[in-house]
Amino acid sequence: QVDKGGMISAFFMALTLVLVSFSCTGPFVGSILLEAAGGAVIKPVLGMFGFGLGFAIPFTLLALFPQALKSMPKSGGWLNVVKVVFGFVILAFSMKFLNTAATTQHWTFLTRDVFLAVWIALFGTMGLYLIGKIKLSHDSDLDHISVPRLGLAIASFAFVVYMIPGLFGAPLTALGAFLPSESSHSFDIKAMLRDNAGSGTATKKVSNLCGTPKHSDILHLPLGLEGYFDYNEALACAKEQNKPIFVDFTGHGCANCKDMEEKVWAHPEVLKRLRENFVIVALYVDDNTELPESEWVTNEKGKVLKTIGKINSNFRMKNFNANTQPYYSFLDKALVK
């Protein structure tokens, strides 16, 4: 539609810009609106001013200095290469969002192995395209490979080499925020190492469970940790064991949550303390599993909340006045008695 020109062209280009640019700004704008709803003035105004300024600056500069448009490179074969490369990147990131939907709905087809296999195929194909081994219909003839193009091809092949061990259970910590859970992998080296380490006296695994946790058939804690997925169950166990509670508000689609787990929770000293000194409760705020009617919750606005995610999200707002994840809270012994 954009190629047709006129007002219709401008409309569809603007629509595309909105869809692409605003898809990941929900948490930022949401936090600002939450501040405004709470009565704050200065912070929301400054936040929205900065938000709008960031989008407006490029268009303002081009409007003030129209000659800059003439100095920009003309479209040609190089631009088609840029579009194709970004196409590969977008396909790769679409797998990340598909993984978010799959984990939220508890679909099991997108395992860690499958995800890595698709990424390896995508970035391998992109590398072959960059060195001219694959040619698409709109591509110009490639007489030679430029240094930037060769560098990008090398980076693509290097990324493929980095991911290949992940098919056999390597942790791939740098990609932990994007990949499916290690529990979906058929061969988990890290779990084997933890089990072997746990067989020793110094790192003997201590169970923090007082019974079988609710929802443990569909929800899991990372790094082999044990815990609960219902706050009341965790509270009862904390009172029984006289331990503090570590409350983890998390989500299937929370990349920062996975990043924290891979880079902070996995630290040996942190992992040891989480395993031995706390009763852990992971409260998923985006899980769509519907609970029995006896467990439904009615919020302050009279809306009936039926799913795990909505009930946990309401619990977080009501008791912790927070709307982000990861969000961690430690409740000591005095608070849980």
Side-chain angles (χ1 to χ4, degrees), residues 86-168:
F86 272 102
F88 280 114
V89 173
I90 289 173
L91 285 174
F93 273 96
S94 70
M95 291 296 297
K96 187 267 181 189
F97 295 116
L98 178 60
N99 174 52
T100 299
T103 51
T104 302
Q105 300 295 334
H106 306 296
W107 300 332
T108 58
F109 69 91
L110 190 58
T111 63
R112 194 180 182 93
D113 315 64
V114 172
F115 188 100
L116 284 171
V118 173
W119 267 31
I120 289 171
L122 284 173
F123 284 99
T125 306
M126 187 176 80
L128 293 174
Y129 172 78
L130 287 169
I131 62 175
K133 297 299 182 181
I134 297 176
K135 183 179 179 181
L136 301 181
S137 59
H138 292 85
D139 289 329
S140 303
D141 292 333
L142 184 64
D143 297 326
H144 66 280
I145 300 176
S146 64
V147 173
R149 184 165 179 166
L150 178 61
L152 191 57
I154 293 173
S156 181
F157 286 129
F159 188 45
V160 169
V161 172
Y162 172 76
M163 289 189 291
I164 288 175
L167 291 173
F168 306 99

Side-chain angles (χ1 to χ4, degrees), residues 147-206:
V147 173
R149 184 165 179 166
L150 178 61
L152 191 57
I154 293 173
S156 181
F157 286 129
F159 188 45
V160 169
V161 172
Y162 172 76
M163 289 189 291
I164 288 175
L167 291 173
F168 306 99
L172 303 183
T173 303
L175 299 176
F178 302 98
L179 300 178
S181 170
E182 290 183 4
S183 61
S184 68
H185 204 292
S186 57
F187 183 66
D188 191 345
I189 288 179
K190 291 175 71 175
M192 295 174 61
L193 292 176
R194 285 195 301 267
D195 292 341
N196 291 334
S199 61
T201 304
T203 57
K204 186 177 180 180
K205 186 175 181 180
V206 178

